Amino acid sequence: MDEAVPVRFTQDAEWWRSAVIYQVYVRSFADGDDDGIGDLRGVRERLPYLAELGVDALWFNPWYPSPFADGGYDIVDYRSIHPWFGSLEDAEALIAEARELSIRTIIDVVPNHISDQHPWFQEALAAGPGAPARERFWFHPGKGEDGATIPTRWVSSFQGSTWTRTTTAEGTPGEWYLHLFTPEQPDLNWNHPDVRREHEEILRFWFDRGVAGVRIDSAALLVKDPELLEVGESADGSHPIQDRDELHDIYRSWRSVADGYPEPRVLVGEIWLDDVDRFAAYLRPDELHTAFNFDFMTRPYLAASLRESIDRTLRAHAPVSAPSTWVLSNHDVTRPVTRYGREKSGFAFLDKRFGTPTDLALGTRRARAMSLVVAALPGCLYIYQGDELGLPEVEDLPLERIEDPMHYRSGGVDPGRDGCRVPLPWSGGLPPYGFSELAEPWLPQPDDWGSRTVAAQASDPHSMLALYRRTLAARRSSDALRHGDFAWLTGFSADVLAFRRGDDMVCILNMGETPVPLPAGDVVIASGPLSDDLLPRDTAVWLQTASAPVDAENQG
Ligand code: NOJ
């Protein structure tokens, strides 16, 4: 595939440094066969929409065969496509058609765990204690005489224990196995050569089919301490299940697989770590290319906090020469227009509760402004499907329709993540809004989304979609925004975020109450109305101006 590159397709091997990447949650994007579930045919039909939006690449959430115990992050076969979504041929056609439109494809790989229905795990269960097939996982006897006590008290990312007890062939309680997420997602043992070999082969399988890169799920969790110490027990301060040093060897090896292609493939890590220097260590030149900037994504809508996050992000990335990424949301977190309208506008999984109030008009103004900020920051930009339509979190899904294990494992107090996974509205005034033809979508859509459809927004110059289209077009045509240096501007109050890219592109967001006088310059784009050269509250603007003074001491 590398030889037959279309003329318009950028052959720049460093495209990922400033790319705009659109996240497709296939199940909820567009339903091409009218069964209420989004699919690859649906995506293929909507590729012109994505090209017009102006994105450089698509990242697909897992599209593999899976029982969907965790939204497809429980994979049964890494080399094929879930029948809901289509076939391998459909995926190949999609990759090629996207490429014709100058759009690259990134897929999700999930190396930390597999489905409990995967043949390896089924084989391990059948084989019994001590069998080699169990060594690909973390099977362990329980503590105490009867083995009834869990091997460690590690806490699952989805709450509760990380161990589930098996039943022996005789029907008695057996060994326990480790799962950092649900019991349907047993963790793989990355000390086992089969596990390492298999995953490198999976990478090659997809890279050979023209996939431009992979998003690596739970990338900092793969390796565990074989001593099974409790958190905080190790003498060297290392964590038993997170960010272990051995991970770096794995990613160096993956990098050599990725670099073996004429157009090197790209590795993107899902890495949640508070320590930015440890985070940046994964982005050394022979490891991953980029990783999601969750620090920024989870910050509240406060100038000091966002400024601090931008500073620490840029400082941490500089020594490893990796680009930062900027993300407002994804399929795991509350939609920005809902989150930024809340009193507590930061994001934390454990804080999610039913009935938390929000002001959607305020949240929408802020999300519009933040979309200009992230598109102006240096590095790579991720957009989660539906954010370009300003979709709110759906907070009143009927309880019996919620599928997310985060909801169930919280005992029902956490609404879970389905509220940001509701099928997209494309056209029309009523559900299914062109998502399906007639079929009822797998999750119900709100009745009041008629004004949020793609069709309604495409003809409204003030819509969120129109703003996104203009913003991405302006970014694409600006060298300063794609490649220019970053510097904070001086002379603004503490509740204003103001920075310059390159010699003459300036982004200013007023988060304070008082309107801010704009420096002289040409307005390229604004997130809301301006009044007499004043920037109102919760409004951002891009200005072309060479005259705004920068803070030479503090260039990020
Ligand atoms: C991170 C994914 O984004 C999330 O959706 C999933 O539940 C966990 N990893 C487990 O795979």
Side-chain angles (χ1 to χ4, degrees), residues 344-358:
K344 277 175 81 182
S345 53
F347 179 80
F349 284 107
L350 292 176
D351 288 351
K352 280 187 85 177
R353 288 294 175 268
F354 286 103
T356 312
T358 186

Side-chain angles (χ1 to χ4, degrees), residues 70 73 113 158 181 215 217-218 270 331-332 417 421:
D70 175 22
Y73 284 90
H113 44 267
F158 288 169
F181 296 91
R215 176 264 190 194
D217 187 68
S218 308
E270 191 217 9
H331 64 293
D332 290 331
R417 300 164 294 177
R421 300 174 177 180

